[in-house]
Amino acid sequence: MTDSHYEALGALLGRGGVLRGADIGPRYFTDWRGEGPVRPELVLRPATTKEMSQILAYCHRESLSVAVQGGMTGLVRGAVPQPGEVVIATDRMTAVAAPDVAGRTIVAEAGAPLQAVQEAAEAAGLFFPLDLGARGSCTIGGNIATNAGGNRVIRYGMTRDLVLGLEAVQADGTVIDAMGSYIKNNTGYDLKQMFIGAEGTLGIVTRAVLRLFPRPQSQAVAYCGLDSFDAVVGFLAHMQTTIGASLSAFEVLWSATYDAICEKVPQVRAALPRGHRFYVLTEMMGSDGARDPERFEETLGMALEQGLLADAVVSKSDAEVRALWELRDGMAHAMGAERPIVSFDISLAVSDMADLEQVLSDRLRAHMADPMILIGGHLGDGNLHLAVRANGVAPEDQPLQAIEREVYALVGARRGSVSAEHGIGLSKRAYLPQSRSPQEIAMMRSLRGALDPKGILNRGRIFG
Ligand SMILES: Cc1cc2nc3c(=O)[nH]c(=O)nc-3n(C[C@H](O)[C@H](O)[C@H](O)COP(=O)(O)OP(=O)(O)OC[C@H]3O[C@@H](n4cnc5c(N)ncnc54)[C@H](O)[C@@H]3O)c2cc1C
């Protein structure tokens, strides 16, 4: 990278706006999984949309490839720089405006951490429902670019359902202002949708108008032990019919995953004894602070009486709600505790999940004696996370590719999705054709060609 690029971009961004050499810390080339490790030659840190537009216009003119970065918590290597790429980071665009209480909206810059938006909403007596384990580090821009799902999709939908408007900068520096703050707008194409879930390949999101909700007046969480998959499915149906729209989470851990969290994640405490086949965290958020806790307990009591639940523990305080959620959020840490490991984020029909562990285990035994399979996730949304490695096999001898092939073959045979919420990035692009038709992929490519003809934005992500 020539000195002339450093000088020209420095003139646009000023002091602190361009980093090079030893000033580039690992944060800009290492993602949450510790995968990198290509130190980029330049990191650009625009502080405004105008600066973002100017530097993209420059990169476009000079044909400089760009890796777009938010909080670097993505799990598919989308933001990790590849050789020769300039990094554009949103870490100086972190403002969160005071919510519009009457309109129930909030405007945040792309680099604002998710948790900062949640807290600003709460301070105004409102609620921003997007929530995931990486809430303290991931950014609104990254959430939008990956169309993040998380823990409350069952009630509030994906990020896509929470974005009313956005502003994005195209590869050539053109600013698209689609900052509407209303739900209904049938005036031609809904252009903001192009940038949601596009993983930074169609433009860089700079700001968004997000939808807020009334703050729930009650929150109760239960951890339940169940002894069959039929009971899990029955319990989900029971919760959906009895507490209906107040059901805000239904998260399942297979027993091996629960055991791994209890063993490997130091800050969590077991909520229930080990030994059940499945563990469910379920949450109710309601509008009647006085009656809801009782209603929740009654609902669980009915499930116990019907034999759906073998055991259950219910939160009695905010601290207990947090502790039970930490036990669920520990899944990502337990899965990450083993290296190397192959991890998956799949969608399947719930009816196709019952024998998943057994069928996968049988298939993997063709490649290894003792597969370790951790499964859990957002079963209420048909989305599971899986992590697989061979037990007792040295890291360098792990049959990683065979594991990947077997899992995706099974997902393909069951017409599932190879990525439910993490995206494709670099890690999963070989498997995109398993979930999307050739015609769909061709249309994606022509959109990409129209909006970024030189292919400078996140080159190689999503498509091979
Ligand atoms: C512990 C843990 C738990 C997680 N749980 C969930 C979960 O439940 N559900 C879920 O969906 N995900 C989950 N994730 C994955 C991850 O947190 C989300 O995908 C998150 O939305 C990524 O945000 P980020 O700011 O870290 O983005 P990054 O990792 O920095 O980037 C992710 C992608 O978005 C692009 N990008 C970033 N910012 C912008 C922008 N402003 N404009 C355009 N493109 C941009 C990047 O180029 C990259 O392709 C989890 C991750 C961790 C570590």
Side-chain angles (χ1 to χ4, degrees), residues 181-377:
S181 52
Y182 26 80
I183 294 173
K184 293 189 167 182
N185 182 11
N186 281 350
T187 50
Y189 302 152
D190 188 357
L191 295 177
K192 68 175 182 292
Q193 299 296 348
M194 304 256 281
F195 302 99
I196 305 175
E199 300 185 45
T201 58
L202 299 181
I204 302 186
V205 176
T206 43
R207 288 191 303 154
V209 185
L210 304 167
R211 208 172 155 189
L212 300 179
F213 293 80
R215 194 165 64 190
Q217 299 302 305
S218 70
Q219 179 184 21
V221 174
Y223 235 92
C224 310
L226 300 90
D227 289 333
S228 71
F229 193 78
D230 283 347
V232 173
V233 176
F235 183 42
L236 173 60
H238 172 72
M239 294 304 283
Q240 283 171 321
T241 32
T242 47
I243 61 170
S246 300
L247 178 66
S248 52
F250 193 91
E251 302 281 311
V252 181
L253 302 175
W254 269 238
S255 59
T257 315
Y258 184 78
D259 293 349
I261 295 171
C262 296
E263 277 164 27
K264 293 186 175 132
V265 187
Q267 71 272 28
V268 303
R269 266 186 308 119
L272 293 172
R274 295 197 205 176
H276 297 292
R277 287 191 58 205
F278 298 92
Y279 293 82
V280 170
L281 178 153
T282 186
E283 181 187 71
M284 172 180 180
M285 285 182 157
S287 56
D288 186 341
R291 280 236 341 107
D292 286 343
E294 201 183 316
R295 208 173 132 214
F296 189 59
E297 294 213 16
E298 277 169 18
T299 305
L300 293 169
M302 282 157 64
L304 276 162
E305 275 169 28
Q306 289 170 26
L308 294 171
L309 302 185
D311 200 355
V313 57
V314 183
S315 63
K316 295 285 180 223
S317 65
D318 290 351
E320 286 183 16
V321 166
R322 277 194 300 279
L324 294 179
W325 267 113
E326 270 167 26
L327 188 52
R328 156 64 184 85
D329 287 344
M331 181 171 69
H333 300 276
M335 288 180 170
E338 306 278 357
R339 307 276 171 103
I341 197 156
V342 195
S343 47
F344 304 89
D345 157 43
I346 57 171
S347 277
L348 281 178
V350 172
S351 51
D352 279 332
M353 294 177 182
D355 62 352
L356 185 67
E357 188 178 31
Q358 188 58 54
V359 172
L360 197 55
S361 174
D362 292 346
R363 286 184 175 211
L364 288 170
R365 277 179 206 285
H367 309 279
M368 64 192 86
D370 188 12
M372 181 194 85
I373 305 175
L374 302 181
I375 310 179

Side-chain angles (χ1 to χ4, degrees), residues 31-32 52 67-80 90 110-111 131-134 137-151 158 195 198-201 203-206 328-329 332-333 345 378 383 385 421-422 425 458 461:
D31 71 2
W32 190 80
M52 183 70 88
V68 188
Q69 288 184 359
M72 294 291 267
T73 68
L75 299 173
V76 292
R77 292 173 57 232
V80 180
T90 56
D131 190 43
L132 33 118
S137 315
C138 65
T139 64
I140 288 298
N143 300 151
I144 292 173
T146 59
N147 185 26
N151 299 332
M158 305 275 283
F195 302 99
E199 300 185 45
T201 58
I204 302 186
V205 176
T206 43
R328 156 64 184 85
D329 287 344
H333 300 276
D345 157 43
H378 320 289
N383 170 201
H385 301 305
E421 57 176 9
H422 294 162
N458 278 356
R461 280 70 165 186

Side-chain angles (χ1 to χ4, degrees), residues 365-404:
R365 277 179 206 285
H367 309 279
M368 64 192 86
D370 188 12
M372 181 194 85
I373 305 175
L374 302 181
I375 310 179
H378 320 289
L379 182 127
D381 314 320
N383 170 201
L384 293 179
H385 301 305
L386 250 94
V388 183
R389 80 193 298 274
N391 264 328
V393 174
E396 60 279 13
D397 296 329
Q398 288 287 328
L400 301 176
Q401 286 173 350
I403 293 172
E404 206 167 77

